[in-house]
Amino acid sequence: MLKVEQLVKHFDGVKAVDGVSFDVLPGQCVALIGPNGAGKSTCFACIAGQYALTGGHVSWNGQALDKLPPAARLRHGVARTFQVAQVFEALTVLQNVQLAVQASRGPKAISAFKTLDSQSIDTALALLAQTGLEALAHDDVASLPYGAKKRLELALALAASPTLLLLDEPAAGLAEAERASLMQLVKKLAAQGMAVLYTEHNMDAVVGVADRVLVLIEGRLAAQGSFEAIARDPTVQRLYLGEGEGAAHA
Ligand code: ADP
Ligand code: MG
């Protein structure tokens, strides 16, 4: 399981994350929510490996992660979504996923670029089917609609066959129907056995998707539990759901 113990991340005087502890088990889909500036992305980046911790511990299946760079975390089955900027715009959707499949097999595999088309095609096609991108396989990434790019990010993360999947606002910027369909895909990945932790600002990506919700407010967990339970929590209502600007929208 993912074990986050007393996670602390300070930036100079700013206590972005200030003592956060929680677990995520394989098969669980857990949402980390909270208002803007709550520390969600910082917490996420500490788990994924982009930030060194100020304090605390992060481990996956008993393996300490906090001193490992992201690439080493990937070898332990921990993947995060790539930023859209990290896809190769001049290549097709299929080629991007093939490249990610080969990269996940180590640095030698990626130097075998010339054999890209034959080596990893089956795995890549399966990933495109899984993420609903089959029909776009031969389109250039540069011409993809935004929603398809978000799916491609997911396909690229899945190329490494992760056991723990970390997603920072996976459906951000998508229209409602597209958000719902992408979040159902995320839920399905967890149902198939992956541990999934995602951050989210809006409630609509939490209801009916997350098995458990962690509410982060000012760097601390204000509540955790089912959506119904956290929605009833007086502190969450006062500081998050009930607020005006920055409030979660259904
Ligand atoms: P969220 O993702 O919940 O909106 P963040 O984790 O981005 O929140 O930010 C939490 C707090 O930490 C904010 O006050 C933000 O200004 C601060 N912060 C985040 N990243 C940095 C950084 N790299 N340097 C300094 N302060 C930061
Ligand atoms: Mg954020």
Side-chain angles (χ1 to χ4, degrees), residues 39-74:
K40 302 181 295 295
S41 291
T42 302
C43 188
F44 185 88
C46 287
I47 297 168
Q50 278 72 39
Y51 287 152
L53 312 189
T54 305
H57 299 283
V58 177
S59 65
W60 170 239
N61 291 341
Q63 165 72 47
L65 295 182
D66 28 79
K67 301 285 192 297
L68 299 179
R73 292 179 199 220
L74 196 58

Side-chain angles (χ1 to χ4, degrees), residues 9-17 32-45 51 168-169 199-201 216 218-219:
K9 180 65 181 176
H10 293 175
F11 298 105
D12 299 322
V14 180
K15 296 177 177 177
V17 178
L32 180 65
I33 68 167
N36 273 329
K40 302 181 295 295
S41 291
T42 302
C43 188
F44 185 88
Y51 287 152
D168 195 9
E169 301 206 20
T199 68
E200 183 50 54
H201 178 63
L216 194 66
E218 293 179 358

Side-chain angles (χ1 to χ4, degrees), residues 24-38:
V24 182
L25 294 167
Q28 282 186 342
C29 187
V30 176
L32 180 65
I33 68 167
N36 273 329

